[in-house]
């Protein structure tokens, strides 16, 4: 018996799953009809009761976020969907939107109705041309079918939906940087409070939610909060997309109840690539502290992963086997954070620069054991002291890898450089895909 | 050289598209990013004339427009090749072979990061995680997916691009668009090709197929 629960992914294997016809064949847009017949507050209550938590990384309860929007304030409200998906390892929203953009559009209509927004935006990263096409087409088709625009389905509810396309900046996934970017500025995080629910886009009450969060709403409306809450764990309810990549025989997307373990997922992915063993992995993208084979049975829900010292994040499970140099992996992530640091605060702007220098030296066998203390010191200065969570993310891989693989750092010093053969880690070294 | 655009420098179609972008937003300044993509659709990079016309349309200074353009890596200071090739060298792809692919292409094309071949056909860049890690190692051409690449397949890919063969992305339209054509889509203009190509690749479908008993 499989634990898998395809809901979002249920019809992705149909050739036209991305079209309006393909979506409506399986009841697509019926949840809009149902929701628009409800009181908006009842829609918010349903999402609260379902226990749905944000799938963008932080796991904040979605219904509560919607409930923070002040009502009767005579201001414009906005819904902004975060489709920036750029956290290294994260690859769930992109295939979801390629296979079924309409489920997001349907979720947007329901969420906007609930929070009384008349204009919604989807902010998608700029590096996915075909996904952009699919969303543009889905939005066009939804307007033509009367699901967007004026007086939707004769209910008197009006909604405009605009696709906003980014231009290559990881930091724009941070919700307040995203709002600045959408307003036409450099994408740098804002001081909070005020939170977006009070002063978000154009200083108006705004909900920012991840693609998967909003795409989960139509099923909750259709099947009910109790159905959703019956899946998953006590505090991490429902199903979600787990993305396995790297050194597994069959990487891919697995939609399962929260709380499944890596051991179970590896089983579905055909195991670690043949002839190799698990070394380390990220539970939720590069910003979440790494795990090792000691964590194979940690339930992948918000609480259990936190208790084990990491974060569920985006459920991006990047798997690395024993051929992989942990220092090489960590240095590359650190170079990423340095490149993507927006420069607003000193601990991150300067800190990531220094971290890269020290790690590069260590990789080349230069330095001493004291450099590990220096790295940890710099991380200490980042973690909790940077202006936004990008800085925390930059510290995570370094601190966790030194915790589990201190000896491997030192081996670079005794070996006078990296003791690993990079070719042994490649897909071609064990290729099924062919040279 | 005067940077002030004269009306005939920008054709009517281009100018009306700028207006169409502004009309998407409650406040005009929000239009700046798609406008910059549209400038790249016209010129292949962010040109001084492009900055000028955006500033004029949005009632901003050119310095303000420039400050935004320079923040985002996709807005180019120099012309892209007709085919802009990005090799993912973020950790996961790098380790799965992205580093070897990038080095192989530098060697094969005789250019380095952020350079363009003399024929103007191909520019090369190492890129960050492109949300396709389950298809690693990944190469993007004009931001279309070429999944599960090897050094050899990537070399064939750029040879085909230079020969004008317009190969089909793994998950994308039936043939790869030019940089300018892709930039128009990124400016938010539907090119009518959304229904081309697959809805999903095998890794995307793996969990579903196992759940349905179609795969182990
Ligand atoms: C550096 C950084 C990058 C982020 N990138 C994304 C992203 O690409 N997509 C996303 O949904 N959330 C991202 N987030 C989290 C958002 O700030 C925000 O928490 C999320 O969009 C809220 O949606 P949710 O409650 O539905 O999860 C990022 C956060 C940080 C600090
Ligand atoms: S932590 Fe980094 S990305 Fe965040 S505000 Fe500071 S400099 Fe910018
Ligand atoms: S690391 Fe290359 S696509 Fe994610």
């Amino acid at each position: 018996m499989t634990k898998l629960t395809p809901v979002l992914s249920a019809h992705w294997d149909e050739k036209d799953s991305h079209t309006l016809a393909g979506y409506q064949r399986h009841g697509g847009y019926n949840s809009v009809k149902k929701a628009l017949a409800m009181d908006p507050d009842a829609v918010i209550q349903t999402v609260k009761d379902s226990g749905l938590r944000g799938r963008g990384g932080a796991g904040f309860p979605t219904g509560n976020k919607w409930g923070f929007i002040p009502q009767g304030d005579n201001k414009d409200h906005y819904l902004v969907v975060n489709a920036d998906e750029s956290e290294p390892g994260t690859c769930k929203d992109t295939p979801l939107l390629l296979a079924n953009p309409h489920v997001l559009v349907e979720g947007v209509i329901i969420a906007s109705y609930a929070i009384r927004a008349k204009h919604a935006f989807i902010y998608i990263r700029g590096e996915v041309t075909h996904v952009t096409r699919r969303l543009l087409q889905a939005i066009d088709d939804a307007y033509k079918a009367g699901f967007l625009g004026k007086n939707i389905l004769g209910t008197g509810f009006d909604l405009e939906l605009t696709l906003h396309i980014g231009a290559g900046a990881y930091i724009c996934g941070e919700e307040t940087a995203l709002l600045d970017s959408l307003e036409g500025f450099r994408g740098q995080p804002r001081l909070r409070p005020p939170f977006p629910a009070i002063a978000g886009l154009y200083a108006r009450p705004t909900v920012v939610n991840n693609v998967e969060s909003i795409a989960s709403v139509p099923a909750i409306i259709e099947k009910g909060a109790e159905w959703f809450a019956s899946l998953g764990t006590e505090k991490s309810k429902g199903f979600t997309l787990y993305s396995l990549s790297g050194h597994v025989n069959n990487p891919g997307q697995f939609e399962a109840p929260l709380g499944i373990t890596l051991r179970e997922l590896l089983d579905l992915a055909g195991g670690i690539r043949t002839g190799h063993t698990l070394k380390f992995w990220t539970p939720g993208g590069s910003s979440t502290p790494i795990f090792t084979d000691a964590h194979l049975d940690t339930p992948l829900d918000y609480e259990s992963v936190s208790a084990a010292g990491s974060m569920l994040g985006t459920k991006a499970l990047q798997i690395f086997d024993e051929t992989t140099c942990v220092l090489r992996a960590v240095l590359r992530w650190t170079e990423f954070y340095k490149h993507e640091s927006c420069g607003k605060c000193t601990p991150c702007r300067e800190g990531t620069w220094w971290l890269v220098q020290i790690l590069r030296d260590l990789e080349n066998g230069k330095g001493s054991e004291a450099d590990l203390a220096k790295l940890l010191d710099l991380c200490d200065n980042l973690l909790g002291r940077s202006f936004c969570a990008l800085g925390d993310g930059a510290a995570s891989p370094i601190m966790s890898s030194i915790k589990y693989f201190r000896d491997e750092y030192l081996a670079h010093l005794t070996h006078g450089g990296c003791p690993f053969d990079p070719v042994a880690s490649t897909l071609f070294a064990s290729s099924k895909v062919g040279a | 050289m005067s940077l002030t655009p004269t009306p005939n420098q920008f054709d009517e179609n281009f100018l009306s598209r700028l207006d169409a972008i502004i009309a998407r937003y409650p406040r005009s300044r929000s239009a700046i990013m798609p406008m910059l993509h549209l400038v790249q659709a016209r010129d292949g990079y962010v040109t001084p004339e492009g900055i000028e016309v955006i500033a004029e349309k949005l009632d901003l200074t050119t310095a303000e427009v420039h400050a935004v353009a320079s923040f985002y890596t996709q807005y180019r200071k120099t012309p892209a090749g007709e085919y802009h090739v990005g090799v993912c060298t973020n950790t996961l792809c790098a380790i799965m072979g992205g580093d070897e692919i990038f080095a192989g292409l530098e060697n094969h094309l005789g250019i380095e990061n952020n350079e363009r071949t003399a024929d103007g056909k191909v520019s090369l860049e190492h890129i960050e995680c492109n949300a396709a890690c389950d298809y690693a190692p990944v190469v993007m051409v004009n931001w279309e997916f070429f999944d599960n690449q090897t050094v050899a397949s990537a070399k064939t890919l750029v040879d085909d691009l230079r020969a004008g063969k317009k190969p089909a992305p793994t998950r994308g339209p039936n043939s790869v668009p030019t940089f300018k054509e892709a930039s128009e889509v990124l400016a938010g203009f539907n090119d009518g090709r959304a229904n081309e190509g697959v809805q999903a690749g095998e890794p995307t479908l793996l969990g579903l197929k196992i759940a349905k008993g179609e795969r182990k």
Side-chain angles (χ1 to χ4, degrees):
Chain A
M1 253 301 278
T2 166
K3 256 198 167 180
L4 294 169
T5 47
V7 176
L8 287 169
S9 60
H11 307 294
W12 289 356
D13 57 345
E14 294 176 20
K15 291 274 169 254
D16 64 347
S17 65
H18 54 94
T19 64
L20 181 60
Y23 187 52
Q24 290 199 290
R25 188 181 311 128
H26 299 287
Y29 289 104
N30 285 348
S31 295
V32 160
K33 291 172 197 155
K34 193 166 166 186
L36 296 196
M38 291 164 70
D39 184 74
D41 287 333
V43 176
I44 296 179
Q45 193 58 47
T46 303
V47 175
K48 277 186 186 167
D49 293 343
S50 75
L52 174 67
R53 294 171 65 173
R55 303 297 195 227
F60 192 84
T62 304
N64 293 11
K65 192 183 269 191
W66 296 5
F68 292 151
I69 298 293
Q71 295 304 335
D73 56 353
N74 283 324
K75 285 183 183 167
D76 291 329
H77 299 172
Y78 295 107
L79 173 73
V80 179
V81 177
N82 191 341
D84 196 52
E85 187 158 79
S86 307
E87 163 84 3
T90 309
C91 52
K92 62 187 180 73
D93 299 337
T94 297
L96 184 159
L97 292 173
L98 200 62
N100 186 4
H102 281 286
V103 72
L104 179 64
V105 174
E106 181 167 27
V108 163
I109 301 164
I110 297 166
S112 300
Y113 174 73
I115 66 165
R116 286 85 157 173
K118 291 192 169 62
H119 200 151
F121 296 85
I122 299 171
Y123 187 119
I124 188 168
R125 67 181 298 183
E127 299 105 325
V128 285
T129 316
H130 207 48
V131 184
T132 304
R133 279 190 194 92
R134 292 254 159 106
L135 268 170
L136 287 170
Q137 189 64 48
I139 293 168
D140 278 357
D141 290 344
Y143 270 104
K144 286 195 197 107
F147 297 123
L148 289 170
K150 294 265 174 249
N151 191 22
I152 295 168
L153 303 174
T155 60
F157 175 56
D158 304 335
L159 181 66
E160 298 298 326
L161 174 54
T162 302
L163 183 66
H164 186 84
I165 299 138
Y170 167 60
I171 189 57
C172 290
E174 195 282 334
E175 59 183 21
T176 62
L178 184 152
L179 294 174
D180 262 32
S181 179
L182 182 48
E183 289 184 6
F185 295 90
R186 296 162 74 89
Q188 292 187 312
R190 299 176 178 174
L191 192 65
R192 283 174 296 187
F195 287 92
I198 305 303
L201 185 63
Y202 311 125
R204 296 293 181 268
T206 301
V207 163
V208 182
N209 269 137
N210 170 258
V211 168
E212 191 190 342
S213 313
I214 295 294
S216 299
V217 169
I220 292 171
I221 295 297
E222 184 202 337
K223 297 184 180 158
E226 274 176 40
W227 161 79
F228 190 84
S230 72
L231 297 161
T233 67
E234 167 83 39
K235 287 186 176 154
S236 299
K237 295 191 191 303
F239 51 84
T240 193
L241 288 163
Y242 292 93
S243 315
L244 264 75
S245 61
H247 290 141
V248 293
N249 278 323
N250 306 314
Q253 306 296 322
F254 301 89
E255 196 174 359
L258 281 151
I260 195 167
T261 65
L262 179 63
R263 191 184 299 281
E264 292 168 310
L265 286 167
L266 277 179
D267 206 37
L268 297 167
I272 298 289
R273 66 176 177 157
T274 308
H276 295 275
T277 52
L278 173 63
K279 181 169 176 182
F280 64 95
W281 55 291
T282 64
S286 62
S287 301
T288 61
I290 62 168
F291 274 168
T292 66
D293 58 359
H295 305 94
L296 274 166
D297 296 309
T298 304
L300 296 171
D301 59 59
Y302 298 99
E303 292 70 32
S304 307
V305 177
S306 295
S310 189
M311 285 173 292
L312 187 62
T314 55
K315 305 148 287 127
L317 293 87
Q318 305 173 89
I319 314 289
F320 300 94
D321 70 19
E322 86 292 346
T323 63
T324 314
C325 173
V326 78
L327 173 46
R328 176 180 175 213
V330 170
L331 169 58
R332 194 58 61 88
W333 280 322
T334 310
E335 287 171 334
F336 167 79
Y337 291 109
K338 171 184 166 257
H339 181 251
E340 301 298 330
S341 166
C342 82
K344 183 167 180 144
C345 69
T346 324
C348 170
R349 186 185 59 239
E350 307 275 322
T352 52
W353 190 88
W354 281 109
L355 290 168
V356 167
Q357 302 309 310
I358 298 172
L359 287 168
R360 273 191 194 150
D361 278 351
L362 286 171
E363 188 180 45
N364 292 322
K366 289 187 277 184
S368 71
E369 192 167 356
D371 287 326
L372 297 192
K374 214 182 290 169
L375 283 174
L376 292 174
D377 226 39
L378 282 163
C379 287
D380 225 35
N381 230 347
L382 267 174
L383 199 69
R385 292 203 174 89
S386 49
F387 191 83
C388 84
L390 185 144
D392 301 327
S396 291
I398 299 177
M399 297 176 87
S400 55
S401 63
I402 293 179
K403 176 169 152 196
Y404 299 118
F405 298 102
R406 190 181 182 90
D407 288 347
E408 194 166 310
Y409 275 84
L410 298 178
H412 285 73
L413 298 176
T414 48
H415 192 267
C418 183
F420 289 86
D421 169 16
V423 175
S425 304
T426 63
L427 183 66
F428 351 121
S430 64
S431 187
K432 293 177 298 168
V433 177
Chain B
M1 188 184 79
S2 161
L3 295 181
T4 313
T6 53
N8 60 0
Q9 257 186 293
F10 295 102
D11 64 32
E12 273 311 308
N13 179 43
F14 178 81
L15 293 171
S16 69
R17 286 189 152 196
L18 290 181
D19 292 330
I21 291 172
I22 294 172
R24 294 176 195 158
Y25 297 95
R27 298 194 188 174
S28 65
R29 187 170 173 138
S30 289
I32 194 165
M33 290 180 69
M35 284 172 137
L36 285 162
H37 280 303
L38 196 67
V39 166
Q40 299 209 119
R42 177 182 182 267
D43 298 335
Y45 70 114
V46 177
T47 50
E49 307 88 88
I51 297 254
E52 287 255 349
V53 72
I54 292 173
E56 201 164 290
K57 283 276 183 196
L58 297 181
D59 209 7
L60 299 170
T61 64
T62 52
E64 285 172 305
V65 178
H66 194 269
V68 173
S70 63
F71 185 82
Y72 300 93
T73 47
Q74 269 180 290
Y75 299 133
R76 303 186 53 85
K77 295 186 192 72
T78 55
E82 197 174 331
Y83 299 99
H84 184 62
V85 176
V87 181
C88 177
T89 55
N90 200 296
T91 300
L92 190 113
C93 278
I95 283 172
M96 299 294 284
D99 280 356
E100 284 77 4
I101 292 170
F102 187 75
L105 288 186
E106 275 187 320
N107 201 318
H108 189 67
L109 294 168
I111 56 174
E112 292 180 4
N113 189 35
N114 263 321
E115 291 182 349
R116 189 167 74 144
T117 52
D119 60 6
K121 288 285 184 191
V122 170
S123 48
L124 183 66
E125 186 186 6
H126 70 76
I127 60 170
E128 300 301 351
C129 176
N130 221 94
C133 321
D134 46 345
Y135 296 89
V138 174
V139 170
M140 306 296 292
V141 179
N142 297 333
W143 312 111
E144 306 283 6
F145 293 107
F146 288 82
D147 300 328
N148 293 126
Q149 293 294 301
T150 63
V151 178
S153 69
K155 284 181 182 170
T156 306
L157 171 61
V158 295
D159 288 347
D160 287 352
L161 292 170
R162 293 182 83 179
K165 285 190 190 160
K166 290 184 165 280
T170 322
R171 291 174 294 145
N174 295 337
S175 62
V176 68
T178 64
F179 179 82
K180 290 180 179 178
E181 287 164 352
S183 297
E184 203 157 304
V185 176
L186 301 185
F189 295 100
N190 188 344
D191 64 1
R193 304 183 71 183
N195 290 338
E196 294 179 21
V198 295
Q199 84 289 4
E202 273 304 305
T204 301
L205 299 178
L206 182 56
L208 174 61
K209 288 193 171 175
I210 293 172
K212 289 172 80 172
E214 294 168 8
R215 266 193 73 162
K216 280 222 298 190

